Amino acid sequence: MNLKYKFADENLKHKIIEDRRMFHANPELGWTEYWSTWMISERLKKSGYEVYIGRDVCDRISRMGIPTNEVIKQCERRALEKGVPESIVEGMRGGYTGVIGILRGEKSGKKTAIRFDMDALPIQEVQTDINTSYCSQNTGVMHACGHDGHMAVGLGLAEILSQNREYIEGEIRLIFQPAEEGCRGAKSIVNKGWLDGIDEFYSGHIGIGCRELGRIGACTRGFMASTKMDIIFHGVAAHAANAPEEGRNALLAAADFIVAAYDYYQQCSENVRMNVGRIHAGSGRNIIADKAFLEVETRGIDGDANIRLKEKLCRLAESISEKHGVTHEVVVAGDVGTGKSDPELVKCGYDAANSLGLGDMFESDAVFNASEDVVTMMNHVQNQGGKAAYFMFGTELTAEHHHPQFDFNEEVLPLMVEFYSKLLVKKPNKPYHSFGL
Ligand SMILES: [Zn+2]
Ligand SMILES: [Zn+2]
């Protein structure tokens, strides 16, 4: 397409795209972003940021959906193999990933925070003609949501901000958040206090809802409240032929639950979503299954609708447990509410887009139509009297988000960097790249 906007600094653009490909080739699941944390923290330190990692970033008990100890240990070993120094891994041990970088401007002023998510998904990437040089090197893990791009944008922005310190008012916090997928990480950063006293807060996403490069949407609505639950049925194992009546079949209970849950969901008139995305049950063909593990999520266009659906599923698990003579437990593995962007910051977004020649491609009332962990941060900032805004950055995709062939047009990355720069650096009418980059 013929886009009016062009990022003028070819060197920086090259670096941003190179960073994105580096992150893409080295994807890490939520709470195991050890290598990514290290790479980002080193770069921020070099650019003069005050940097926090490890237990300084996330509150221990507010972390949700932590992987098993076995997975955590395996990922820590991989980080060491990939060159992360032992002392750094030691500081993050147990899944304390994420980075906070703080830059203080030369002038006094407000506190601003901007958030980039870091985690990948449990998907086996398909190698194509396009991604040959940067296809995932970690089996079964893939950046299929664009968070690799978000991290690269964060680093590109960090560089521009540090070069323009004299034009920055107050303090800027760059938040590199672990475990966005499944809405598991934001709360622990909020509860650690990193969003306290923030006056302006920004975040955004690549490509959601819009496939046209240059189009920017301010999401004012459509953030769905969501709860992620692990439902575990516990039964009794028995010989499948010799004494099946002695067993209590957890697998059958889980199957019964799934069918009943979808039956109920299909009758829902409310604007809700439900999905059972994973099941793991039993241990062998001739054994009555004594355990079944389900990953379930509910969503609602408002918080109450989500809670009603979630509570219905909990009651359903209860009655099905009773029917099959098994027990069950429900573990909340993620949670987020609904949110919205503030009109004042949406207007700032329009001004930023307009200054890039993209004013006519800016949508001031876009619908997100999914859930975003960042809403927990937005709500916290807004509840304290600050303002928040979230933007979607259009770009061409090779496949939908969370698909094994997901990829995007990387031209969107420098555009995002410059858009965010316009929001954060108060320097009128001059291109940022002309300052020593
Ligand atoms: Zn995603
Ligand atoms: Zn995402």
Side-chain angles (χ1 to χ4, degrees), residues 121 144-145 147 180-181 205 401-402:
L121 287 150
C145 201
H147 301 182
E180 188 285 324
E181 299 289 353
H205 209 293
H401 293 76
H402 296 199

Side-chain angles (χ1 to χ4, degrees), residues 154-170:
L155 288 181
L157 178 69
E159 200 159 324
I160 289 187
L161 296 179
S162 72
Q163 300 277 348
N164 286 277
R165 219 171 181 147
E166 64 202 283
Y167 301 101
I168 289 171
E169 296 169 4

Side-chain angles (χ1 to χ4, degrees), residues 143-326:
H143 269 297
C145 201
H147 301 182
D148 48 347
H150 298 168
M151 288 187 277
V153 166
L155 288 181
L157 178 69
E159 200 159 324
I160 289 187
L161 296 179
S162 72
Q163 300 277 348
N164 286 277
R165 219 171 181 147
E166 64 202 283
Y167 301 101
I168 289 171
E169 296 169 4
E171 179 187 316
I172 294 177
R173 289 184 188 172
L174 302 183
I175 299 174
F176 289 86
Q177 186 215 305
E180 188 285 324
E181 299 289 353
C183 302
R184 299 174 290 154
K187 194 175 175 188
S188 71
I189 293 180
V190 166
N191 286 357
K192 197 71 184 175
W194 287 113
L195 278 304
D196 291 356
I198 293 294
D199 301 291
E200 287 182 9
F201 177 82
Y202 298 102
S203 193
H205 209 293
I206 287 169
I208 295 231
C210 180
R211 290 182 165 208
E212 190 181 353
L213 184 66
R215 207 164 268 288
I216 301 171
C219 296
T220 50
R221 57 207 163 96
F223 287 105
M224 299 184 98
S226 181
T227 305
K228 322 293 181 187
M229 298 182 285
D230 295 337
I231 301 183
I232 307 127
F233 291 98
H234 297 281
V236 177
H239 194 292
N242 185 247
E245 69 282 1
E246 296 296 320
R248 294 289 176 268
N249 197 330
L251 185 152
L252 187 58
D256 207 1
F257 170 82
I258 294 168
V259 173
Y262 276 101
D263 265 356
Y264 174 78
Y265 173 47
Q266 251 135 48
Q267 294 156 21
C268 283
S269 54
E270 287 185 295
N271 203 347
V272 291
R273 301 275 187 281
M274 187 214 77
N275 192 47
V276 182
R278 186 169 168 240
I279 174 167
H280 182 87
S283 55
R285 192 188 309 278
N286 55 0
I287 306 157
I288 301 290
D290 64 346
K291 192 172 174 186
F293 173 90
L294 301 180
E295 288 186 12
V296 183
E297 65 164 23
T298 59
R299 303 185 199 226
I301 202 66
D302 64 63
D304 287 346
N306 177 54
I307 286 171
R308 276 194 293 276
L309 179 57
K310 175 195 136 190
E311 287 178 348
K312 171 70 189 176
L313 295 190
C314 288
R315 286 198 298 277
L316 197 59
E318 194 121 14
S319 64
I320 281 175
S321 286
E322 214 168 294
K323 178 178 159 193
H324 291 274
V326 300

Side-chain angles (χ1 to χ4, degrees), residues 378-397:
M378 292 169 73
N379 286 340
H380 184 81
V381 169
Q382 289 165 329
N383 290 341
Q384 291 196 330
K387 309 248 179 279
Y390 188 89
F391 300 99
M392 292 189 292
F393 299 89
T395 187
E396 294 97 353
L397 305 178

